[in-house]
Amino acid sequence: MKGIYCLISAAIALTLASCDENARLAKEIHGTWAGTPENVTDNSAITATLIETYSFTDAAGTLSKGAYGGDISITGMISCSTQILGDSTLVEPMTLTASAVSTINGTWTVIDDDEIALVLNPETLVVNMDPEAVTVANNVVTNNDNPSIEKLKSGMVTTLRDGIKHTLSMRYASIRQLDDIKIKGPLMKFEIGKNDYVFTKQDESK
């Protein structure tokens, strides 16, 4: 009987220790973290550089007994480009470059002392692109006021934005968990699948 009590006591101690570690991770990850530039593509014509910012909130709340979590918002700063063909008056292919900002929201839950589950809502994914900030260049025509260029640009902005949104929707559909999280000072390292990431804590006093 004494042995049973010892086993129960040990189990309770381990459970309490696990809860403490989960609470520690929830507390440490609370805030805003910025990643490093990453190349993304639609495997077709669009290439882009993405810098993401993860904002974890409501770390002190509990989603269920013994589970820590809250809301997450992921913001992406995007620089992208694609090559398009001109019309009969523009023989040379043109390169269209643009900047965009994306956002997607969801929830996060601590599932272990170094793992967090993410549930991102695809319906909240938004990609904003300023048409005025889009530039077009080729080897022959450098005048963006050319009517032919302006005609092509207006349609390609929509195509480029939709392409980026599709690429990001596929990306975020595959992100369900942050593994092997290590936080030391302002740096956070973690894995998504087989990819390693390093994020830096942002100064929220600014």
Side-chain angles (χ1 to χ4, degrees):
M1 184 66 70
K2 185 177 180 180
I4 294 176
Y5 286 140
C6 289
L7 288 174
I8 293 175
S9 298
I12 293 174
L14 287 173
T15 300
L16 292 176
S18 177
C19 289
D20 289 343
E21 287 299 303
N22 290 359
R24 176 195 58 78
L25 177 57
K27 182 178 180 181
E28 289 183 347
I29 206 169
H30 180 270
T32 300
W33 303 79
T36 55
E38 183 179 358
N39 294 327
V40 295
T41 178
D42 65 346
N43 295 319
S44 179
I46 298 175
T47 58
T49 300
L50 171 68
I51 301 177
E52 291 177 316
T53 299
Y54 285 20
S55 294
F56 298 88
T57 59
D58 300 330
T62 56
L63 301 182
S64 60
K65 187 177 180 180
Y68 296 87
D71 299 321
I72 182 173
S73 176
I74 300 177
T75 302
M77 303 299 293
I78 306 161
S79 299
C80 52
S81 65
T82 188
Q83 194 172 77
I84 57 177
L85 296 176
D87 57 17
S88 59
T89 64
L90 299 173
V91 178
E92 291 289 328
M94 298 176 293
T95 299
L96 184 148
T97 60
S99 298
V101 178
S102 66
T103 56
I104 189 169
N105 301 316
T107 59
W108 62 277
T109 309
V110 176
I111 56 178
D112 201 352
D113 61 356
D114 65 350
E115 295 180 3
I116 285 179
L118 297 184
V119 179
L120 300 177
N121 183 355
E123 295 183 359
T124 65
L125 177 60
V126 176
V127 177
N128 291 316
M129 184 176 293
D130 182 5
E132 298 301 320
V134 175
T135 60
V136 178
N138 66 9
N139 294 331
V140 177
V141 181
T142 58
N143 181 9
N144 279 347
D145 294 330
N146 186 296
S148 296
I149 290 181
E150 287 301 318
K151 182 179 179 180
L152 287 170
K153 185 198 293 187
S154 60
M156 286 306 301
V157 167
T158 300
T159 301
L160 186 57
R161 184 182 63 240
D162 291 346
I164 290 295
K165 186 173 183 178
H166 175 73
T167 299
L168 292 179
S169 66
M170 298 295 289
R171 173 186 178 86
Y172 294 132
S174 66
I175 298 179
R176 300 180 180 179
Q177 192 166 304
L178 307 185
D179 296 316
D180 197 21
I181 301 171
K182 293 181 176 64
I183 299 175
K184 186 174 183 179
L187 294 181
M188 174 171 63
K189 298 180 180 180
F190 59 90
E191 298 176 359
I192 298 177
K194 297 181 179 180
N195 297 318
D196 297 322
Y197 294 86
V198 178
F199 277 51
T200 304
K201 188 72 173 288
Q202 300 302 288
D203 185 357
E204 297 176 351
S205 65
K206 295 180 180 181

